[in-house]
Amino acid sequence: MTSHFLADTAVLTRRSLRHVARSLDTILTTAVMPIGFMLLFVYVLGGAINSGTPSYVDYLLPGILIVTVASGISYTAYRLFLDLQNGIFERFQSMPVARSSVLWAHVLTSLVANSISIVAVVLVALVMGFRSAAGPAAWLAVAGLLLLFTLALTWLAVIPDGAVAFSYPLIFLPFISSAFVPTATMPTPVRIFAEHQPVTLIVDTLRALFTGQPLGSGLWGALAWCAGILVVAYAFAIVAFRRKIS
């Protein structure tokens, strides 16, 4: 059963990755748009923003990485929506295909596509002057946290019937966080929301890892948010998927 599931997941993942590679709008959404945001904020708006750091791109990059993940995950939800609309799930029901491999294929595709987009964004940031005091362990922690965040939100995005409704608001959460400006500059109601939502905690943890600052309890809080979202989203996605194909 396990080998059957793994083989089916591998085949469906290759199918999904081919669709991504052939789709120009996917590339624009998952990589070019976040890079465009970074260029806009650094070279157009950066001079008017007091981030409290010598280089605004150093402050900005963690938030742009979150925007990159959110953009990629929104497109994952859209691809799942298209599969649902085109009747792919119904066709798979008549074939000897492991049922959960359909969702896992979308999840693995999201991890691969988002990883490529993240690497592209970091390379552009380096060209723009981003510099980090992080050592190898800190960079591995950054990669691990981003992968866990991507995995958690992808399972949220692949909940059948609720995929688009759950995922597109994720794009806007980074804009109401510490991703672009310190939360201390925000009006009180906005600041309270920004300081108590997961994106701010994750962004601040990434920023501390990049700059070699003490993490305190921030890392554990960020991991707790990601793990909590992952467990809840996975449970909801599996239950909703079984109901969808029953």
Side-chain angles (χ1 to χ4, degrees), residues 163-209:
V164 176
F166 279 127
S167 62
Y168 276 102
L170 298 176
I171 295 177
F172 299 101
L173 274 183
F175 293 93
I176 315 174
S177 72
S178 64
F180 300 98
V181 296
T183 57
T185 65
M186 300 176 182
T188 301
V190 180
R191 177 177 56 78
I192 292 173
F193 174 80
E195 291 178 349
H196 293 86
Q197 59 121 322
V199 171
T200 291
L201 188 57
I202 295 169
V203 165
D204 288 347
T205 300
L206 292 173
R207 194 170 287 133
L209 287 167

Side-chain angles (χ1 to χ4, degrees), residues 44-223:
V44 179
L45 304 175
I49 298 175
N50 181 14
S51 63
T53 59
S55 174
Y56 183 55
V57 68
D58 291 350
Y59 181 89
L60 180 66
L61 180 60
I64 291 295
L65 293 177
I66 298 300
V67 171
T68 303
V69 172
S71 299
I73 287 171
S74 296
Y75 208 88
T76 298
Y78 179 64
R79 289 198 305 272
L80 178 67
F81 172 76
L82 289 180
D83 276 354
L84 289 169
Q85 293 295 104
N86 293 333
I88 295 294
F89 281 51
E90 286 75 9
R91 272 180 259 173
F92 285 153
Q93 280 184 270
S94 61
M95 301 169 62
V97 176
R99 297 295 182 253
S100 59
S101 64
V102 179
L103 289 184
W104 271 106
H106 282 284
V107 171
L108 294 177
T109 299
S110 174
L111 288 175
V112 172
N114 277 290
S115 296
I116 294 172
S117 297
I118 286 169
V119 170
V121 169
V122 171
L123 290 176
V124 172
L126 289 170
V127 173
M128 294 171 64
F130 171 75
R131 296 296 179 266
S132 172
W139 276 100
L140 286 175
V142 167
L145 182 56
L146 286 172
L147 285 176
L148 181 60
F149 180 69
T150 302
L151 183 63
L153 294 195
T154 300
W155 276 107
L156 187 65
V158 298
I159 297 175
D161 294 328
V164 176
F166 279 127
S167 62
Y168 276 102
L170 298 176
I171 295 177
F172 299 101
L173 274 183
F175 293 93
I176 315 174
S177 72
S178 64
F180 300 98
V181 296
T183 57
T185 65
M186 300 176 182
T188 301
V190 180
R191 177 177 56 78
I192 292 173
F193 174 80
E195 291 178 349
H196 293 86
Q197 59 121 322
V199 171
T200 291
L201 188 57
I202 295 169
V203 165
D204 288 347
T205 300
L206 292 173
R207 194 170 287 133
L209 287 167
F210 279 136
T211 57
Q213 299 297 315
L215 294 173
S217 60
L219 177 60
W220 298 112
L223 291 174

